[in-house]
Amino acid sequence: MRLDLVYNPTSGRFRRDRLEQLVAALEHFDWAVTLIETRPDGVTVSPDCELVCVHGGDGALRQTVRGLGKRAGKVPLCVSPAGTINLVARELGYHTDPDKFAVQIAAAWGRGPQSWIRSPLFTFDDMPVLACLSIGPDSVAVSRVSSGLKAKIGRYAYVVSALKMLARWPQDPMPVKAQGIDGRIWEMQGEAVFAARGKFYGGPFSLSPKAALSASTLELVVIERSTRLACLRFAWAVMTGRDPGELGLAKTSTVKWAELGDGDLPTQVDGDQVLPVMGRIAPSGQVVRYCI
């Protein structure tokens, strides 16, 4: 059995000894492991691998799916969490301990693909979106996060970055257009927009109770006026487990697709900054399979 182990040596919780332990644990179950390091320009997966394991965070997972291209819906994936936040791995319940993770994957492989999690793949301007996307103060904070501080304090580096923005808080309205599950197309203006593909956002928090990786839709959350106070109230609601949509702090909608952005603000996708763009987040027609 052939397995590609993609790893990110710059991820938030990466340790060489843990990678070696993971390789040994997988080889114990007769996987022939090929190590593949992520590169700034992407990931190249072996043409004959049967399973791809990503040892990193959501960004490394996104790079891997992008590298798979048309094979993304054919080659199954699993995630050994080693990033800063690990939203996908958290939702799917992958173990952080290498030995327990290997047992978990061996058992899932033995059960067969009928038991695996299927997640419709959404893209934004041809960029895979595995867990989340945002444009607004949140994405600006992500774009200004210090990589050194992120390595030291993890997700709290995003909080530090947001606090530094208080003096010059970004408020730029952007057009938002979406199609609801009833087929109706609607438009509005917003200063902060979040698209949740998965259950979690920013760690153990959730933007909408309806969000799930297995859903064929996405949860679109729009803050019309993203003042400091509005964003603080929104963040507090999310951190305390309350639905900001029900509290009237944002408009939350289940949608089939959405068009957003005006090109002036950076875009955050799966915890990383991507180039300032405007585009449509929509199903790609592919379905990612997670071996779990």
Side-chain angles (χ1 to χ4, degrees):
M1 297 182 290
R2 298 177 299 277
L3 180 147
D4 276 5
L5 179 52
V6 178
Y7 69 98
N8 179 8
T10 65
S11 64
R13 295 192 296 176
F14 176 80
R15 297 200 320 266
R16 179 66 60 174
D17 61 336
R18 190 169 164 211
L19 174 64
E20 293 172 353
Q21 183 183 354
L22 177 60
V23 171
L26 291 168
E27 289 180 339
H28 176 76
F29 289 98
D30 295 326
W31 286 101
V33 178
T34 299
L35 286 174
I36 298 176
E37 185 174 320
T38 59
R39 308 184 312 271
D41 62 337
V43 172
T44 303
V45 177
S46 303
D48 60 347
C49 67
E50 297 174 87
L51 176 66
V52 176
C53 176
V54 178
H55 184 57
D58 299 301
L61 177 61
R62 187 188 69 254
Q63 276 189 294
T64 302
V65 171
R66 194 174 194 182
L68 281 167
K70 293 181 180 179
R71 297 169 63 203
K74 300 176 181 179
V75 181
L77 299 163
C78 58
V79 187
S80 170
T84 303
I85 298 180
N86 305 299
L87 299 176
V88 172
R90 181 186 291 270
E91 180 169 347
L92 296 178
Y94 284 113
H95 280 295
T96 57
D97 178 84
D99 294 315
K100 292 180 179 179
F101 173 82
V103 171
Q104 192 176 30
I105 299 309
W109 188 263
R111 289 193 298 271
Q114 69 277 359
S115 68
W116 301 344
I117 299 296
R118 296 169 57 87
S119 178
L121 177 61
F122 279 64
T123 56
F124 180 70
D125 196 37
D126 295 326
M127 171 74 68
V129 181
L130 280 303
C132 61
L133 176 152
S134 69
I135 302 178
D138 175 78
S139 67
V140 175
V142 169
S143 72
R144 298 177 182 177
V145 166
S146 162
S147 57
L149 189 62
K150 183 178 175 182
K152 292 180 180 178
I153 63 174
R155 67 173 181 263
Y156 298 106
Y158 297 103
V159 178
V160 173
S161 179
L163 291 174
K164 289 181 178 179
M165 297 192 321
L166 289 175
R168 299 184 63 183
W169 190 257
Q171 276 186 259
D172 294 308
M174 73 189 85
V176 179
K177 183 178 180 180
Q179 182 181 41
I181 55 176
D182 59 358
R184 183 177 64 89
I185 296 175
W186 52 267
E187 299 181 48
M188 66 180 297
Q189 290 277 321
E191 293 181 347
V193 182
F194 305 82
R197 274 293 300 126
K199 176 181 179 180
F200 295 111
Y201 192 93
F205 314 117
S206 180
L207 296 178
S208 169
K210 297 180 182 179
L213 291 171
S214 58
S216 59
T217 54
L218 59 92
E219 295 300 302
L220 190 67
V221 181
V222 181
I223 303 177
E224 294 184 72
R225 291 288 319 282
S226 62
T227 63
R228 296 170 180 81
L229 180 58
C231 288
L232 179 62
R233 294 175 64 195
F234 176 87
W236 181 251
V238 170
M239 288 189 293
T240 54
R242 292 179 292 174
D243 184 351
E246 287 190 354
L247 295 175
L249 302 176
K251 178 180 179 180
T252 302
S253 308
T254 303
V255 302
K256 297 180 178 180
W257 56 260
E259 292 178 356
L260 47 99
D262 58 8
D264 293 332
L265 291 178
T267 304
Q268 175 274 134
V269 176
D270 297 328
D272 294 329
Q273 177 195 358
V274 299
L275 292 175
V277 293
M278 59 183 300
R280 173 183 288 211
I281 177 170
S284 67
Q286 294 176 292
V287 176
V288 176
R289 295 180 300 158
Y290 292 106
C291 179
I292 182 67

